[in-house]
């Protein structure tokens, strides 16, 4: 739920229909479809209570019109948490992190329709308990009547497996539309999200 990138944060994450910012591929992988250059995006965010997020994205175009692809890593971590026994004696510290690394691909078809996906492997750790899993995001975009219409489905997954327990990731379906007004230097966007 923590947005990646300055524009994404400034717009409250309402970027499912806004191409041009590489970090938006975490909201809609189809936004990578028109990217035709090498780009590197590095992000660091410090949040409350020692919570930090790091993100890195390397994007590049594939040859012969095969679209654009990106390699990405997100790392959510925080300062160690003190651990206490029943007599309130500190007995150590717990390490906490969430790491997701993966691959994105997108392409534009018939000059109007963008399709893309993100696939990520996930590793989570809390003290001596760790879990792993995977996640798939699907996205689409359509240029029509001067607007960019989009939809994405995030966190299609088999869940995160922790030893004997499995936890589902929260899925999210988003719809958005954006209109660019170059003469005014303005973008108008609307987004609807349906979390599961």
């Amino acid at each position: 739920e923590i947005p990646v990138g300055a524009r994404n944060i400034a717009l409250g994450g309402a970027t499912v229909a806004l191409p041009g910012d590489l970090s938006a591929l975490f909201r809609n992988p189809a936004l990578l479809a028109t990217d035709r250059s090498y780009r590197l995006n590095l992000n660091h965010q410090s949040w409350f209570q020692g919570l930090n997020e790091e993100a890195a994205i390397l994007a590049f175009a594939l040859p012969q019109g095969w679209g654009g692809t990106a390699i990405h890593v997100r790392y959510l971590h925080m300062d160690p948490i003190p651990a206490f026994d029943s007599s309130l004696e500190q007995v150590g510290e717990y390490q906490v992190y969430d790491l997701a690394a993966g691959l994105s691909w997108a392409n534009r078809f018939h000059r109007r329709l963008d399709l893309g996906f993100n696939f990520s492997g996930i590793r989570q750790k809390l003290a001596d308990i760790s879990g792993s899993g995977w996640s798939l995001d699907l996205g689409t975009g359509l240029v029509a009547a001067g607007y960019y219409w989009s939809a994405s489905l995030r966190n299609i997954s088999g869940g995160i497996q922790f030893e004997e327990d499995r936890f589902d990731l929260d899925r999210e379906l988003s719809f958005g539309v954006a209109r660019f007004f170059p003469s005014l230097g303005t973008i108008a966007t609307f987004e609807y999200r349906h979390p599961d």
Side-chain angles (χ1 to χ4, degrees):
E1 293 302 315
I2 299 176
V4 175
R7 182 170 78 162
N8 209 354
I9 293 169
L11 293 171
T15 55
V16 74
L18 291 178
D21 184 355
L22 199 53
S23 62
L25 72 84
F26 291 121
R27 297 283 305 128
N28 182 356
L31 299 177
L32 187 63
T34 57
D35 201 356
R36 294 292 178 250
S37 61
Y38 284 89
R39 289 202 288 169
L40 176 65
N41 185 312
L42 302 172
N43 290 276
H44 166 76
Q45 299 175 56
S46 293
W47 289 75
F48 55 87
Q49 295 183 333
L51 186 64
N52 294 284
E53 183 179 47
E54 324 298 337
I57 308 164
L58 175 62
F60 50 93
L62 295 173
Q64 299 179 354
W66 282 92
T69 191
I71 300 165
H72 48 82
V73 177
R74 291 180 73 177
Y75 181 53
L76 184 68
H77 60 99
M78 63 188 307
D79 296 336
I81 301 172
F84 299 89
D85 63 14
S86 57
S87 63
L88 299 181
E89 293 282 332
Q90 185 170 347
V91 294
E93 294 179 329
Y94 290 145
Q95 298 293 325
V96 179
Y97 71 82
D98 185 310
L99 176 66
L103 178 70
S104 299
W105 173 86
N107 201 3
R108 176 162 281 183
F109 299 90
H110 305 294
R111 298 184 184 178
R112 291 183 175 266
L113 178 65
D114 298 338
L115 298 173
F117 73 86
N118 290 335
F119 180 82
S120 297
I122 302 169
R123 180 83 171 159
Q124 297 180 340
K125 182 175 177 65
L126 174 59
D128 58 348
I129 300 171
S130 60
S132 59
W134 57 271
S135 174
L136 177 67
D137 305 336
L138 300 175
T140 186
L142 177 67
V143 178
Y147 292 86
Y148 189 79
W149 305 84
S150 67
S152 73
L153 180 58
R154 297 176 56 223
N155 289 334
I156 303 167
S157 165
I160 306 296
Q161 185 70 40
F162 287 91
E163 296 176 355
E164 299 173 2
D165 298 315
R166 187 182 68 82
F167 297 93
D168 291 329
L169 295 173
D170 295 334
R171 282 182 298 274
E172 181 182 86
L173 179 62
S174 299
F175 298 97
V177 60
R179 177 71 189 252
F180 297 84
F181 299 95
S183 60
L184 300 175
T186 303
I187 301 170
T189 184
F190 172 81
E191 182 170 328
Y192 170 77
R193 292 187 198 172
H194 181 75
D196 180 9

